[in-house]
Structures are given as structure tokens and as C-alpha cells.
């Protein structure tokens, strides 16, 4: 879309950047087809869902890099190699405890849990 409006052009450029950043990270993850997928295996599908929500105007494109940062810095190192059927209340509680011990705010811990929930929502919708 062409525009002569500087603010609109900057906004479109930012949205394009965020979508391309998400695509870059999605390409780095390996997808497996066994019956018990690992947590990390589901991230590309979650990203596709978020990108679709951006296109529909339901999700801000600027939130995708934030989501990816949380995933890559904290969540995937903890849950990435676990199969989805290994992650339950005990593991989620331990993750929350670890995050709280890092002196993070309750809001930050909650935002990480929301990111984790996006993966669980995907798996529940596919069953």
C-alpha cells in the first residue's frame, strides 16, 4: 500500500518488520510429527496464529517480537524440550516460582504465563 502520510508509512513499516521478525524465528524451529510434540515444536503454529490475528486487526504486530523474546529468553529454555504431556500444574508452578525468584514483577510473570497459555490453547484447539 502506498501512502504519502509519514505516520501511516512508519506504522506500515513497523508492522512489516514485526511480521518478518516472527517469520525469521519460526523458520529456525524444527517441527516434529510424533504423537507427543515438544513445547518448542508448537511455536511456529502459535506464530502463524498470531500473524493471522495481526492481519485481522485483533493483535498488535508490535507484540510479536515481545512474545518471541519471552519465549526465547525464559520459556523455551525451561519448557522447550519437554513434551506437552509432561507439562502440568507442578511444572508450571515451578516455572512461576523460578520467575518470581528472579525478582520480576508479578505483571512480568503473568505475561510469561499468558505466552505459555497461547501454546496450550493451540494444543487444546487441535484435539
Amino acid at each position: 500500500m502506498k501512502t504519502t502520510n509519514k505516520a501511516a508509512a512508519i506504522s506500515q513499516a513497523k508492522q512489516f518488520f514485526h511480521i518478518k521478525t516472527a517469520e525469521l524465528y519460526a523458520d529456525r524451529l524444527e517441527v516434529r510429527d510424533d504423537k507427543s510434540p515438544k513445547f518448542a515444536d508448537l511455536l511456529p503454529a502459535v506464530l502463524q496464529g498470531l500473524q493471522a490475528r495481526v492481519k485481522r486487526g485483533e493483535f498488535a504486530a508490535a507484540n510479536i517480537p515481545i512474545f518471541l523474546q519471552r519465549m526465547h529468553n525464559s520459556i523455551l529454555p525451561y519448557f522447550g524440550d519437554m513434551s506437552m504431556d509432561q507439562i502440568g500444574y507442578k511444572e508450571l508452578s515451578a516455572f512461576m516460582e523460578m520467575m518470581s525468584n528472579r525478582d520480576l514483577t508479578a505483571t512480568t510473570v503473568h505475561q510469561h504465563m499468558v505466552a505459555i497459555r497461547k501454546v496450550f490453547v493451540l494444543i487444546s484447539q487441535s484435539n
Side-chain angles (χ1 to χ4, degrees):
M1 171 185 258
K2 291 185 178 183
T3 182
T4 57
N5 181 313
K6 182 179 178 182
I10 290 171
S11 175
Q12 291 171 3
K14 285 180 180 178
Q15 183 171 356
F16 177 79
F17 170 79
H18 295 311
I19 289 171
K20 291 302 173 187
T21 300
E23 289 172 358
L24 173 70
Y25 279 107
D27 290 344
R28 292 184 182 176
L29 296 171
E30 181 179 319
V31 178
R32 301 164 356 134
D33 288 329
D34 61 11
K35 294 190 187 295
S36 183
K38 290 185 178 182
F39 185 93
D41 295 339
L42 300 173
L43 191 54
V46 172
L47 285 172
Q48 287 177 345
L50 293 177
Q51 289 170 333
R53 289 182 62 200
V54 167
K55 288 179 183 175
R56 293 191 305 264
E58 300 171 2
F59 191 76
N63 290 334
I64 292 178
I66 297 167
F67 170 82
L68 289 170
Q69 180 183 18
R70 289 183 184 125
M71 279 290 169
H72 289 284
N73 291 346
S74 303
I75 299 168
L76 286 178
Y78 195 89
F79 292 113
D81 287 332
M82 290 185 193
S83 66
M84 290 303 291
D85 59 1
Q86 290 177 312
I87 303 171
Y89 179 81
K90 178 179 152 189
E91 292 75 21
L92 292 168
S93 293
F95 177 77
M96 283 182 64
E97 183 71 24
M98 179 200 73
M99 296 295 285
S100 297
N101 289 339
R102 290 175 42 194
D103 293 327
L104 300 174
T105 66
T107 300
T108 301
V109 174
H110 173 74
Q111 290 167 338
H112 280 76
M113 297 306 289
V114 168
I116 293 168
R117 184 176 65 212
K118 290 182 187 316
V119 176
F120 278 92
V121 166
L122 173 77
I123 200 82
S124 70
Q125 290 174 344
S126 64
N127 288 336

